[in-house]
Amino acid sequence: MCRAKISPNLKKIFEKGERGEKLTLLLTDGRRIECRFEMLTYANKSDTDDTDVMVARIKYGDGSGELLAEEDIKEIL
């Protein structure tokens, strides 16, 4: 059986999320967000590139959510 390779930041988010911890993340676009981890999944790299990349599905307190790739995350606080 082949195991997926999880990038460092996504692994930290996954581990904190599995423990039920709330996450505070600093993103590369300058946002500082508070969220909860939902799951790891795959998404297309871009609208023009069908390459799959691993992403974390995160959820905000208002019920909305977002997919974050490794390169979207600057720091896990």
Side-chain angles (χ1 to χ4, degrees):
M1 183 175 186
C2 183
R3 293 180 58 95
K5 291 183 181 179
I6 304 174
S7 59
N9 282 331
L10 294 182
K11 185 173 182 173
K12 287 179 191 174
I13 289 172
F14 172 78
E15 289 169 347
K16 285 183 168 234
E18 288 291 296
R19 293 191 300 265
E21 294 179 33
K22 194 173 198 179
L23 302 166
T24 302
L25 307 175
L26 181 59
L27 303 181
T28 54
D29 65 7
R31 291 183 294 153
R32 181 183 174 132
I33 62 170
E34 289 189 5
C35 58
R36 293 209 180 268
F37 168 80
E38 283 198 310
M39 68 179 178
L40 291 176
T41 189
Y42 289 93
N44 287 348
K45 195 169 192 171
S46 72
D47 291 340
T48 57
D49 185 347
D50 287 342
T51 305
D52 285 338
V53 294
M54 186 175 285
V55 294
R57 164 93 173 130
I58 55 102
K59 191 172 187 176
Y60 299 111
D62 67 1
S64 65
E66 185 172 3
L67 296 174
L68 298 175
E70 176 73 18
E71 59 268 8
D72 298 324
I73 305 160
K74 184 173 183 179
E75 188 177 355
I76 300 167
L77 306 171

